[in-house]
Amino acid sequence: MKLFRRDVNEPNPRALPEMLLETLNLLDGDSLILAPGEIPIFSTPGIESLGILKDGRIQSSELLATIRVVRRTHSQQVGRIDIPRGPIGEGKHELTVKVLPLTKGDLVLVLVSDESEAQRVHDIRRDFVANISHELKTPIGALSLLSEAVLGAKDDPESVKKFATRMQSEAKRLTDLVQEIINLSRVQDSDPLQLAQEVGVEYMIREAIDQCQIAAENRNITVTYAESSSAVVLGDRDQLIMALHNLIENAINYSPENTKVSVSTTKENGVIDIVITDQGIGINESEQDRIFERFYRVDPARSRQTGGTGLGLSIVKHVASKHGGEVKIWSVENVGSTFSLRLPVYSPTLERSE
Ligand code: ADP
């Protein structure tokens, strides 16, 4: 709960009935009370973390318009507003707001709920389940055929060995797929900005490179990161590392042996660009939008060979958007690809001095 400092003429938040404030704090959604001039005199913590209020001002022109209607008509209004999750990218909070006039001193109460988010999660889950069942059928079908083959070849140790090895790789594929499905659904269901940690950009790059080191060595690919960065972003550390890991792992998997993958950063206008460049097979322009879709692969046979699940970039896209950022791609076939994870930088000194 936040009670705002006020000027002499502003209504005194402490004069608001204690019971009203307690009730608002107990509600599931967030709430805000505004004095004339749209001066906030009370708000729950989510109001600022959702980006509805910044520096004591309401950020949404749609919400301000709804409040004006309430002030004019003295009747409650319900509406939907979209609030960007960050300065870049398309991620947004889709919120339902209920605006009510309070009898006391021209005050207006705004109640905010994220029902649209719940609906969206429900729709995504429904489509996802349909795709998953299709994807799971392939390794499960293979395992069932291979186990029959093992039984049929029980007197031929060489064949048994061959089929058992393939069973092992199908079982690994199934395990990876299930793990990626869990990762994606966790990312989709979470809000990393609600309980955000400060994550050092250099730390997360080094951690992701470490995780890909064995894959890189196996293909004699050098992954370089030759900078030091003091930039910090806000969010979920594990999700951010996972997103970078997926981009670096793809750069390795879709490149010929003995090539280089480089990671670098640039910082401009409060946004850090983490750039991963490879000298790999590249992606045709017509496919560049589609590769972020769940289970989309340009070449399913190659993706299968590398153990790809088709979910890696979809996870990256969701992590970026949930952190108020975005992911961009430049690629030329047979030359290489550059993926860029762009995230808003957190500046503690700026926040504290405000
Ligand atoms: P996968 O698990 O198949 O790698 P992703 O979602 O990570 O799935 O990527 C989707 C597809 O995008 C891949 O199957 C591949 O065709 C293409 N792709 C991703 N990264 C690269 C890259 N660095 N170079 C070339 N193609 C890539």
Side-chain angles (χ1 to χ4, degrees):
M1 167 170 88
K2 190 160 181 174
L3 292 172
F4 289 84
R5 226 181 302 128
R6 66 210 156 80
D7 296 332
V8 184
N9 294 329
E10 284 174 26
N12 182 352
R14 297 193 194 283
L16 291 169
E18 194 61 32
M19 218 169 80
L20 169 66
L21 302 186
E22 273 174 24
T23 310
L24 292 177
N25 276 315
L26 287 174
L27 293 179
D28 275 343
D30 283 290
S31 53
L32 169 70
I33 297 180
L34 298 160
E38 307 338 338
I39 296 160
I41 54 170
F42 163 86
S43 79
T44 50
I47 294 289
E48 270 188 71
S49 55
L50 283 168
I52 295 173
L53 210 58
K54 198 169 171 225
D55 302 333
R57 281 173 193 278
I58 290 181
Q59 299 298 304
S60 159
S61 51
E62 293 159 292
L63 177 56
L64 282 169
T66 312
I67 293 167
R68 274 197 293 276
V69 174
V70 171
R71 289 208 182 280
R72 209 172 46 241
T73 61
H74 299 285
S75 65
Q76 69 175 53
Q77 299 285 323
V78 179
R80 282 268 310 274
I81 60 168
D82 291 346
I83 303 272
R85 297 183 76 90
I88 51 168
E90 289 166 13
K92 57 187 181 196
H93 298 284
E94 294 166 18
L95 307 169
T96 303
V97 289
K98 191 171 193 178
V99 185
L100 309 104
L102 290 182
T103 42
K104 202 172 169 205
D106 279 339
L107 301 182
V108 166
L109 168 65
V110 181
L111 297 170
V112 180
S113 61
D114 227 342
E115 285 158 28
S116 49
E117 177 66 7
Q119 182 60 41
R120 201 181 59 81
V121 169
H122 173 80
D123 292 348
I124 288 173
R125 200 166 277 160
R126 192 197 45 213
D127 296 351
F128 197 26
V129 168
N131 283 340
I132 286 170
S133 11
H134 175 75
E135 292 287 332
L136 287 177
K137 273 183 191 154
T138 315
I140 291 174
L143 276 173
S144 148
L145 286 174
L146 285 164
S147 63
E148 275 174 33
V150 169
L151 283 176
K154 58 180 184 303
D155 300 326
D156 175 0
E158 267 315 299
S159 298
V160 168
K161 198 172 158 197
K162 190 177 86 191
F163 293 137
T165 311
R166 284 186 49 200
M167 282 178 88
Q168 247 177 356
S169 84
E170 289 300 334
K172 176 169 185 319
R173 184 172 149 73
L174 203 52
T175 312
D176 291 348
L177 188 57
V178 170
Q179 186 57 52
E180 285 283 76
I181 290 167
I182 294 169
N183 289 344
L184 179 57
S185 75
R186 278 202 187 127
V187 170
Q188 284 179 331
D189 282 358
S190 70
D191 189 343
L193 298 184
Q194 283 275 331
L195 277 175
Q197 302 159 286
E198 293 178 25
V199 191
V201 168
E202 181 173 341
Y203 161 79
M204 89 201 188
I205 294 175
R206 294 204 184 281
E207 205 49 36
I209 293 179
D210 268 3
Q211 292 177 5
C212 298
Q213 209 54 52
I214 294 178
E217 277 165 18
N218 284 342
R219 321 219 31 239
N220 205 18
I221 289 177
T222 326
V223 184
T224 56
Y225 170 62
E227 297 168 11
S228 62
S229 168
S230 57
V232 170
V233 295
L234 272 192
D236 182 303
R237 189 188 54 202
D238 294 342
Q239 283 188 16
L240 290 164
I241 294 172
M242 178 164 64
L244 280 179
H245 167 110
N246 289 355
L247 291 175
I248 298 168
E249 191 174 55
N250 279 349
I252 296 167
N253 283 342
Y254 298 102
S255 292
E257 292 191 359
N258 307 312
T259 52
K260 288 198 170 88
V261 170
S262 71
V263 185
S264 61
T265 62
T266 53
K267 204 169 99 178
E268 204 179 350
N269 298 331
V271 173
I272 185 129
D273 236 313
I274 308 174
V275 181
I276 294 107
T277 302
D278 65 48
Q279 302 169 321
I281 58 173
I283 302 154
N284 187 294
E285 208 177 331
S286 61
E287 313 263 16
Q288 291 180 11
D289 275 343
R290 300 216 58 195
I291 54 172
F292 294 98
E293 291 171 20
R294 285 181 304 240
F295 298 116
Y296 187 83
R297 293 108 164 174
V298 176
D299 175 355
R302 171 149 189 160
S303 167
R304 200 180 151 79
Q305 229 175 39
T306 59
T309 58
L311 291 177
L313 287 180
S314 177
I315 292 176
V316 176
K317 188 174 171 184
H318 277 95
V319 171
S321 130
K322 291 268 181 175
H323 284 79
E326 62 187 347
V327 54
K328 296 252 175 212
I329 170 180
W330 295 265
S331 185
V332 178
E333 258 183 302
N334 301 319
V335 174
S337 310
T338 294
F339 283 82
S340 150
L341 178 63
R342 291 164 47 76
L343 298 165
V345 176
Y346 173 57
S347 325
T349 44
L350 208 87
E351 302 268 324
R352 280 187 203 119
S353 63
E354 273 173 3

